[in-house]
Amino acid sequence: EISEINPESWRGLEESLQNLNLAENAISHLPGSVFSTLQNLDYLDLSGNAIMDFDPSVFAGGPPRLVRLNLADNQLKHIPYRQVSSLKLLRHLDLSYNMITQLHSSGTSEPEHSGSQLSLDTLHLDYNNIQYLPPGAFQHFNILNHTFLNGNPLALVQTDAFRDARIRELSMVDCGLQEISPSAFSGLEATLQLLDLSGNNLTSLPPHLLQEFDFLRTLYVKDNALFGLSSQEQHDTGFQYSLYRLDVSGRTNAPMAIQQMRRMRNLRWLKMSRLAKASLTSDDFNEFGVDLEELHINDGGLQKISAHAFKHIRGLKRLDLSDNSITNIDYDAFDEIGHSLIQLRLSHALSASIKQVPGDALRPLGSLQHLDLSHNKLQTMPETAFHFLRRIRTIQLEDNSIENVHKGTFQGDIHSSLEELYLSFNKLGAINTHTFVDLSQLTRLHLDDNVISRVDRRAFVNLEHLRVLDMRGNKLSFISDEAFQNLPELEDMDMAY
């Protein structure tokens, strides 16, 4: 392990060295001008050492082109403002996993002019010991595009803590926050675009957060203890136009009605968990904007998807209903999004009472490209279950109890775009003649960990682009002659027990 470095350590590398990695050594002190001769150094990694302090002149004279400095996982107690202020091109500073307790500089006065302030694209202060942010906490920074304070034990964020900080993306995940004052983010109204408050203990949000931050596009508040999106009653008749992405998921947030989100007229991505009721109906999305493209309802307690449930959000492209216990999907539940939906995830979503692939409900989804029905209790697949999915590219059926794949379930003239098919961890006992035939675009076929004992003649035929065939973990005792016909690109076939 390296414990000491000095300017002579880089003799002969002054003009060529661009990346220097000194991570995971035993360096405890950085002497003055130790890197000043490295004229072209762009990236310096000093993470995982035992650095407790810097010589004030450690970066005096350079490296003049240093852009990225990693000081994570050391023993720093203060942010080294004075030392790094001479690095005029520095844009990425990582000080995570140190022992920093405050953002004020230690033993230095405030910058006397803006030229001594830092302008960074990324500042990582994750998992230090910062307990409060006083007014002007970021006074030593001119620009901070992406700021990460995750994992600090923040007890208090005072008014004007972010004054003049010009932060564009702010992450305060897993900080133990129980309350945020209405003026906590004052000063960021004109710049803040992303705010991540996930993994805290918040019961409400500042009421003006969704009204006065006109540039806020993304808000993540998953895994809190929220009773709603505002501490005020939901009687505001105005609309909120800026927010594009909202995550209120997590088992610790209180059940919420989807209708709480209806006034976010430009919402494009929504993720929720515990719903206020166990069914999805068209009324849930009444008055929603037309821009919603992606909807996740995971661990939401869903039991029923009613007819025409999505008729008010006809542009939906991706729908994830995983981790529910759905007992019924009406055959016309997806009618209005059949032209737009390209991805449907129902992994671990269906009740054990649903034993058959819900082919009738899938029938309208003519544009679907990715279907995930994994981790359910499905036992049978009707021969026509996927016959209306003419654009399907990936089908995931792994970890069910499917016992048979009927001839004609997958057809070359229908499934001409099918690239990947996953049937792992089912109860398939045999692969019959012409089970997989003429699937011209199929590249991966996973049949591993079933109970397949027999592969019949011409079971796999004309799979011109198949590269991976996984049959590992079966009970193969008989493979017929000519079981595999015209698989010219097959590269990987696993039949190990």
Side-chain angles (χ1 to χ4, degrees), residues 38-84:
L38 300 175
Q39 295 299 302
N40 290 302
L41 194 66
D42 173 88
Y43 175 60
L44 175 58
D45 189 346
L46 289 161
S47 62
N49 281 279
I51 300 171
M52 300 179 64
D53 61 1
F54 288 14
D55 187 287
S57 62
V58 61
F59 295 119
R65 298 184 180 179
L66 192 68
V67 174
R68 295 171 293 164
L69 176 59
N70 189 348
L71 290 163
D73 194 18
N74 279 282
Q75 298 180 30
L76 297 172
K77 295 183 178 180
H78 308 284
I79 298 176
Y81 293 110
R82 176 189 296 179
Q83 290 89 336
V84 300

Side-chain angles (χ1 to χ4, degrees), residues 12-61:
L13 303 175
E14 293 87 350
E15 300 298 327
S16 62
L17 198 61
Q18 297 181 25
N19 299 297
L20 178 56
N21 189 342
L22 293 166
E24 307 301 330
N25 279 290
I27 302 168
S28 60
H29 177 72
L30 297 178
S33 302
V34 65
F35 303 110
S36 62
T37 60
L38 300 175
Q39 295 299 302
N40 290 302
L41 194 66
D42 173 88
Y43 175 60
L44 175 58
D45 189 346
L46 289 161
S47 62
N49 281 279
I51 300 171
M52 300 179 64
D53 61 1
F54 288 14
D55 187 287
S57 62
V58 61
F59 295 119

Side-chain angles (χ1 to χ4, degrees), residues 133 147 149-150 154 157 162 170-181 184-185 192 194-206 209-210 216 218-226 229 246-249 252-253:
L133 297 178
T147 304
L149 292 163
N150 304 334
L154 282 172
V157 180
F162 297 99
L170 175 60
S171 183
M172 300 170 69
V173 176
D174 192 25
C175 291
L177 286 168
Q178 297 184 10
E179 184 179 358
I180 294 179
S181 69
F185 302 110
L192 191 63
L194 181 150
L195 178 60
D196 192 346
L197 295 169
S198 302
N200 287 288
N201 297 308
L202 298 171
T203 57
S204 64
L205 297 177
L209 186 62
L210 298 177
L216 186 63
T218 302
L219 176 61
Y220 298 141
V221 286
K222 66 178 182 180
D223 296 321
N224 276 279
L226 291 175
L229 291 181
L246 174 64
D247 187 347
V248 291
S249 64
T252 54
N253 284 329

Side-chain angles (χ1 to χ4, degrees), residues 310-322:
F310 306 98
K311 72 177 184 180
H312 295 299
I313 48 174
R314 294 170 179 260
L316 201 63
K317 293 182 178 180
R318 294 175 178 83
L319 176 61
D320 184 356
L321 300 175
S322 299

Side-chain angles (χ1 to χ4, degrees), residues 467-479:
R467 292 184 173 85
V468 177
L469 176 57
D470 191 349
M471 298 183 68
R472 186 182 184 91
N474 281 285
K475 297 183 178 181
L476 291 167
S477 60
F478 176 76
I479 299 177

Side-chain angles (χ1 to χ4, degrees), residues 181-186 189 205-213 230:
S181 69
S183 55
F185 302 110
S186 295
E189 291 87 349
L205 297 177
H208 73 303
L209 186 62
L210 298 177
Q211 280 75 47
E212 297 180 12
F213 286 72
S230 174

